[in-house]
Amino acid sequence: MKRKYTILLADDDKVQTMMLSSQLRAKGYAVAAAYDATYTVMVAMKSPPDLIVLDIKMPGGTGKAALERLKSSSKTTQIPVIVLSGFTDRQTIQESLALGAFEYQTKPADVEKLDAAIRRALGLPPAEGANTPPAGTPPTDTPPVNASDEPPRDTWDS
Amino acid sequence: MTPDPTASTPDALDRTEFLARVHGDAVLAGAMAALFIQEAPAQLAAVRLAVATGSAERVSQAAHLLRGSVANFSAGEAVSAALHLEQMGRTGELTDASDALIALERAIERLIAALREFTE
């Protein structure tokens, strides 16, 4: 990765943020963190990152409200947002995608899946050694969802 | 309610899965464990307060946050206990919330005890 892309991790789960910060930095990204929705919007407006990884449930307003504000402002509307949430219900996924999320992934976070989505969102090639299953290989886990996919099962995450 | 002795109980911590999640990085695992041990009392206190005040929405929110935190450790027992309370909050049915809270507190205690090995 020639240019250092900046990722804003917006989540009140500090443990997960610590893990993802460390792992994304190791992959060559610059990482900033915001622990509530209001601060997320403020940081994004003041110093727009290349991409935001956004939780849906945060203090200081919901992540959905933050997503709505980010997508309605000319300063931030072009920033791709990947939602990373503990919710797997159809309504939350559909609402997030309808609000303009690039992709929806479920917790617990998997940095390889997240990195793949970040690369897709930023138009970067897949990481070297990225695990691309051969055609016809059945999926082993719930796939991420993007705006062109059908939403997955209508259940709670466990 | 008497526990079913034949029912399988999820582990307090799946060490193998947790270490796989951090790609075997023991320093990161230790830092995450230390941060959780530091943050968990406040998160648990928020759940306790929400249950005490009978606010279903706050129970759901506080339990959701705690569930997210413990999920980072592949802590099946704590994830299940937090999810149980979160669902109670979502449905507004808090009749058994005190019992569910006790189960969650015990699961968190066991998780913290298991995580201490990573902080030593």
Side-chain angles (χ1 to χ4, degrees), chain A residues 7-155:
Chain A
I7 310 296
L8 175 60
L9 296 178
D11 198 318
D12 56 341
D13 179 353
K14 293 179 183 174
V15 175
Q16 180 189 263
T17 301
M18 172 188 274
M19 179 183 77
L20 288 180
S21 294
S22 172
Q23 294 178 329
L24 290 174
R25 283 193 185 107
K27 289 182 178 295
Y29 299 103
V31 180
Y35 297 122
D36 72 54
T38 308
Y39 188 65
T40 298
V41 175
M42 193 184 82
V43 169
M45 297 271 188
K46 197 174 173 184
S47 174
D50 294 297
L51 183 142
I52 299 171
V53 178
L54 179 73
D55 185 20
I56 279 299
K57 201 157 204 168
M58 286 193 293
T62 67
K64 280 182 198 167
L67 180 56
E68 206 162 13
R69 290 188 63 188
L70 290 166
K71 289 299 170 188
S72 63
S73 166
S74 59
K75 274 189 175 178
T76 53
T77 190
Q78 296 302 324
I79 302 172
V81 176
I82 295 171
V83 172
L84 180 57
S85 168
F87 293 112
T88 60
D89 61 286
R90 189 179 297 267
Q91 187 184 346
T92 302
I93 294 169
Q94 285 178 334
E95 281 177 4
S96 300
L97 296 174
L99 286 171
F102 175 79
E103 188 166 302
Y104 191 104
Q105 295 196 358
T106 54
K107 293 182 179 179
D110 178 327
V111 74
E112 301 304 334
K113 272 193 206 168
L114 186 58
D115 183 36
I118 291 170
R119 286 174 170 277
R120 282 194 295 275
L122 296 178
L124 298 171
E128 277 181 39
N131 187 16
T132 310
T137 304
T140 55
D141 199 355
T142 306
V145 179
N146 63 36
S148 62
D149 290 335
E150 283 296 312
R153 66 195 188 281
D154 188 8
T155 58

Side-chain angles (χ1 to χ4, degrees), chain B residues 15-96:
Chain B
R15 289 167 178 78
T16 307
E17 196 175 304
F18 172 43
L19 283 171
R21 181 161 288 134
V22 296
H23 299 168
D25 185 339
V27 175
L28 177 57
M32 288 169 64
L35 180 59
F36 178 75
I37 291 168
Q38 181 187 316
E39 294 283 322
Q43 291 185 9
L44 203 46
V47 179
R48 214 176 276 130
L49 182 62
V51 170
T53 55
S55 165
E57 187 182 352
R58 287 173 64 185
V59 168
S60 170
Q61 287 175 349
H64 178 82
L65 175 60
L66 192 50
R67 176 166 70 93
S69 288
V70 297
N72 292 305
F73 299 106
S74 310
E77 182 190 16
V79 168
S80 297
L83 179 62
H84 189 200
L85 259 174
E86 186 182 337
Q87 286 173 326
M88 285 180 171
R90 291 263 292 191
T91 58
E93 180 47 71
L94 298 181
T95 311
D96 297 324

